[in-house]
Amino acid sequence: QVQLAESGGGLVQPGGSLRLSCSASGRTLSTFIMGWFRQAPGQEREFVAASDWRDSVRDYADSVRGRFTISRDNAKNTVALQMDSLKPEDTAVYYCGATYSSSWEKEYEYEYWGQGTQVTVSS
């Protein structure tokens, strides 16, 4: 069993930055591919970014590519999402998840989820 907990969300102005962190307990993260998803009110949960267990492969949604960076530290059981040049459309609850699947852009492939952290981008 894996427990995931996100932190680092908050209110920022457009163009600002936030760094989200996801901490894991119960099992080593090296077993899993780790991903970040987000969900705005009334919207489907959408893929944001993912990293394989060695952090050798990283994947991003087109909407965040070049602005967001995913990274992981398996020794510390954490995965981070650095978000730069934030836009109002980035406003959502952000979730980290863990999956064994190479289809890491699919929400239904994830075995575990955190509780989410709110990111609000507004002037």
Side-chain angles (χ1 to χ4, degrees), residues 89-111:
E89 65 196 65
D90 296 318
T91 296
V93 177
Y94 283 70
Y95 299 88
C96 67
T99 181
Y100 292 112
S101 175
S102 296
S103 300
W104 51 58
E105 296 184 7
K106 305 298 184 182
E107 179 267 345
Y108 57 80
E109 295 285 354
Y110 282 74
E111 299 284 339

Side-chain angles (χ1 to χ4, degrees), residues 79-94:
V79 58
L81 185 69
Q82 177 67 42
M83 305 185 295
D84 299 319
S85 301
L86 284 162
K87 305 174 180 179
E89 65 196 65
D90 296 318
T91 296
V93 177
Y94 283 70

Side-chain angles (χ1 to χ4, degrees), residues 32-33 50-60 70-72 74 104:
F32 297 97
I33 295 164
S51 174
D52 77 334
W53 74 282
R54 280 292 193 183
D55 203 20
S56 59
V57 177
R58 299 177 181 180
D59 189 32
Y60 299 93
I70 187 172
S71 61
R72 64 191 295 169
N74 291 334
W104 51 58

Side-chain angles (χ1 to χ4, degrees), residues 3-14:
Q3 294 83 42
L4 304 175
E6 304 92 338
S7 63
L11 174 64
V12 297
Q13 296 181 344

Side-chain angles (χ1 to χ4, degrees), residues 105-122:
E105 296 184 7
K106 305 298 184 182
E107 179 267 345
Y108 57 80
E109 295 285 354
Y110 282 74
E111 299 284 339
Y112 302 100
W113 294 100
Q115 81 287 351
T117 185
Q118 177 71 48
V119 172
T120 302
V121 185
S122 176

Side-chain angles (χ1 to χ4, degrees), residues 32-49:
F32 297 97
I33 295 164
M34 299 298 298
W36 286 94
F37 284 70
R38 66 188 182 186
Q39 187 169 21
Q43 303 296 318
E44 301 289 335
R45 187 174 298 187
E46 66 174 350
F47 171 77
V48 175

